[in-house]
Amino acid sequence: MAELLALTAHELAVKVESGEVSAREAAEVANARVEEVEEDVNAFVTVTPEIALERASKVDARDGDRKLWEGVPLVVKDVLSTRGVRTTCGSKMLEDFVPLYDASALRNFGEDLIMVGKANMDEFAMGSSTENSAYGVTRNPWDLARVPGGSSGGSAAAVAAGEGWWALGTDTGGSVRQPAALCGIVGLKPTYGRVSRYGLIAFASSLDQVGPMTRDVRDSALLLQAIAGHDPRDSTSANVQVPDYLSELEDGVSGLRVGVVTELVNGEGIEPGVREVTERIAQGLEDAGAEVGEASLPHSEYALPAYYIIAPAEVSSNLARFDGVRYGLRVPAGGVHEMYRETREAGFGDEAKRRIMLGTYALSSGYYDAYYAQAQKVRTRIIEDFRSAFSRYDVLLSPTSPTVAFGIGAKVDDPLAMYYQDVCSIPANLAGIPAISVPGGLSEVLPVGVQLMSDHFTEPMLLRAARAIEQAADFRFALKP
Ligand code: GLN
């Protein structure tokens, strides 16, 4: 078991393909590891050991007629609809919700997606610590007293703990990258529109993207290969050809122009240990042949406040469907209005309610221009900042998160401190560009993620640069706890 657990997803996939290991053996190993550590980590809302075994046997039986990724068990964030398996979105509202179809992001795994389980998350993906889940907090495998980040904290913790070789998360303001950073794994947010959002329970539709959470950059490329592609069922899905994400991976960074984003490296609240690792990686890229300089995103300080208007505004609309009639929970009451009210009062947690109220306020007549319209103007400025930065640089480097993993409970009573976790990650969501977090090293004993951003649909280059970071970093993936 230990031997298989130590492999990357790509290595395991190759062994399954050659017949050296069966998909069923892999599923057994994942299930056993879940048994072993889940009590401590709580990475899952729902585990699906029988489904994993049954489907793995089917995949084995289809020998010869399958894609490389199909033999490797996958952890799926509980925001992605899975046919016949309950999908809670971390909310009491959807405690018993069983979707009738799989999210399109899963379609290239075919009918027999070998699923380890549904990963825990902040309710409706709102949060940075996985403490906003109705199903308990997930613990960081590096230090069980700390959070794994969020909102895809269950996915990140599962990968770090080896409860699966790879996972899917979603990223609206940083939810793939920040937990990846805090758990010492790789997290990629693809270009907006690269991966279908069909069957993904909506948080902020103009920002949401599904992304791979993996042990290394090669696994990230392979999982992106599996989930990317145009989907007519998602009107924002891009009809852009899917390149081969693995082919350029080892081509190095010689001559690549890397801009270190001044505002995000030196901003207040960036921990010294995080800054040091980022600077060391910049040096490492230069040593590997990249041309490293200083880049500026002059409006980046407005990205966080703009996001916390735009995302809640979209939430207030997207979460209106949870009314006790169409989906999930219903609290019976005297009349229809009472039923709505009591259902939403009982079904949503505090953060979901806070966002619905913020968003409703920002969109209300008289305040719309002052808040929502203003935030959209900021969004345009951020896009222009990136356009000008990408005229000088191929990729931009920054920390992923301002801090390493913090203690459970440390920020729950201070929403603004929690929101500040997203300060480095949000600009990429507002601009719709791809961004990846790669472990850059340790700050004392905890992992630090560094972030790379690049222009729309340049994931092959982004992954190649990320691979160079991996080589420059003083960091190797090892199972925790
Ligand atoms: N932490 C951010 C928020 O709470 C981002 C969440 C996400 O990307 N889903 O909105």
Side-chain angles (χ1 to χ4, degrees):
M1 162 163 158
E3 230 168 88
L4 284 191
L5 268 185
L7 299 176
T8 66
H10 188 268
E11 289 165 344
L12 178 61
V14 169
K15 283 192 193 294
V16 174
E17 187 178 60
S18 73
E20 192 183 330
V21 174
S22 69
R24 187 167 174 111
E25 281 171 76
E28 279 165 2
V29 166
N31 289 346
R33 181 66 179 168
V34 170
E35 280 277 308
E36 187 178 19
V37 300
E38 184 56 8
E39 199 177 310
D40 287 336
V41 178
N42 191 37
F44 292 93
V45 175
T46 306
V47 288
T48 53
E50 293 86 15
I51 290 180
L53 292 178
E54 188 195 308
R55 294 191 189 166
S57 297
K58 288 195 190 156
V59 169
D60 285 329
R62 280 197 289 107
D63 187 14
D65 159 37
R66 57 191 187 204
K67 296 282 200 308
L68 188 55
W69 51 77
E70 287 181 55
V72 183
L74 181 69
V75 173
V76 181
K77 185 179 182 182
D78 211 19
V79 67
L80 287 159
S81 298
T82 43
R83 180 177 39 91
V85 176
R86 80 165 175 160
T87 300
T88 70
C89 225
S91 182
K92 249 191 273 177
M93 194 61 103
L94 293 177
E95 194 167 4
D96 301 314
F97 174 60
V98 179
L100 297 171
Y101 57 88
D102 280 330
S104 289
L106 306 171
R107 69 193 152 161
N108 289 336
F109 282 86
E111 289 281 285
D112 307 316
L113 166 66
I114 309 173
M115 187 168 64
V116 186
K118 302 297 298 286
N120 198 16
M121 55 182 283
D122 287 299
E123 184 177 15
F124 291 105
M126 297 176 223
S128 298
S129 66
T130 317
E131 291 167 295
N132 297 336
S133 168
Y135 303 90
V137 61
T138 295
R139 287 171 220 286
N140 191 318
W142 285 74
D143 176 348
L144 297 172
R146 293 174 191 263
V147 303
S151 64
S152 314
S155 299
V159 173
E163 296 177 273
W165 287 264
W166 54 10
L168 289 179
T170 54
D171 192 311
T172 305
S175 279
V176 161
R177 290 161 285 158
Q178 183 258 12
L182 272 46
C183 290
I185 65 167
V186 175
L188 168 65
K189 182 199 90 71
T191 304
Y192 181 78
R194 180 70 292 182
V195 182
S196 172
R197 293 184 298 109
Y198 184 76
L200 159 66
I201 297 172
F203 164 9
S205 308
S206 76
L207 302 160
D208 297 342
Q209 241 329 257
V210 182
M213 304 180 74
T214 58
R215 297 180 179 196
D216 71 2
V217 174
R218 176 165 295 267
D219 286 1
S220 186
L222 183 61
L223 191 47
L224 179 63
Q225 202 76 53
I227 63 174
H230 179 241
D231 179 12
R233 287 175 158 149
D234 169 5
S235 63
T236 62
S237 159
N239 199 348
V240 173
Q241 218 194 330
V242 179
D244 181 343
Y245 292 113
L246 290 147
S247 61
E248 289 183 28
L249 216 51
E250 303 296 339
D251 288 357
V253 289
S254 172
L256 196 80
R257 298 166 305 164
V258 179
V260 182
V261 184
T262 313
E263 293 87 353
L264 300 184
V265 176
N266 298 318
E268 65 172 297
I270 308 290
E271 285 178 356
V274 170
R275 185 176 306 127
E276 274 160 34
V277 169
T278 312
E279 284 166 354
R280 217 179 306 140
I281 290 298
Q283 185 59 53
L285 288 173
E286 192 164 346
D287 296 344
E291 291 168 26
V292 179
E294 272 183 24
S296 175
L297 297 173
H299 297 91
S300 54
E301 67 174 297
Y302 305 111
L304 192 71
Y307 170 89
Y308 277 97
I309 297 291
I310 294 167
E314 295 185 25
V315 160
S316 74
S317 165
N318 275 328
L319 268 51
R321 71 189 60 155
F322 302 108
D323 55 7
V325 179
R326 285 171 283 190
Y327 298 94
L329 183 76
R330 171 182 296 176
V331 179
V336 70
H337 289 291
E338 290 77 8
M339 189 276 287
Y340 286 164
R341 189 166 55 233
E342 290 187 24
T343 297
R344 287 167 72 81
E345 166 62 29
F348 289 133
D350 287 349
E351 187 61 27
K353 288 176 184 157
R354 184 179 297 126
R355 303 273 180 118
I356 291 168
M357 286 190 280
L358 280 171
T360 307
Y361 183 80
L363 291 175
S364 59
S365 98
Y367 294 101
Y368 181 95
D369 286 338
Y371 293 109
Y372 186 72
Q374 199 68 10
Q376 292 291 15
K377 287 181 194 157
V378 170
R379 189 171 186 174
T380 303
R381 286 293 159 93
I382 306 270
I383 292 168
E384 288 165 357
D385 280 2
F386 277 114
R387 199 168 290 149
S388 120
F390 289 134
S391 69
R392 289 184 54 202
Y393 294 106
D394 300 309
V395 294
L396 299 175
L397 179 77
S398 78
T400 304
S401 152
T403 71
V404 294
F406 46 93
I408 291 170
K411 296 185 199 287
V412 274
D413 296 326
D414 186 350
L416 290 185
M418 193 69 91
Y419 296 171
Y420 196 72
Q421 278 295 305
D422 310 320
V423 68
C424 299
S425 52
I426 277 174
N429 298 83
L430 291 175
I433 58 171
I436 190 166
S437 178
V438 185
L442 299 179
S443 171
E444 298 190 3
V445 293
L446 293 169
V448 172
V450 293
Q451 172 175 247
L452 280 176
M453 300 172 270
S454 66
D455 212 349
H456 296 93
F457 299 105
T458 57
E459 281 89 349
M461 178 182 67
L462 187 70
L463 287 158
R464 167 159 64 88
R467 173 72 186 122
I469 290 187
E470 195 166 62
Q471 284 165 325
D474 187 16
F475 187 94
R476 289 288 161 273
F477 179 85
L479 291 188
K480 308 278 171 184

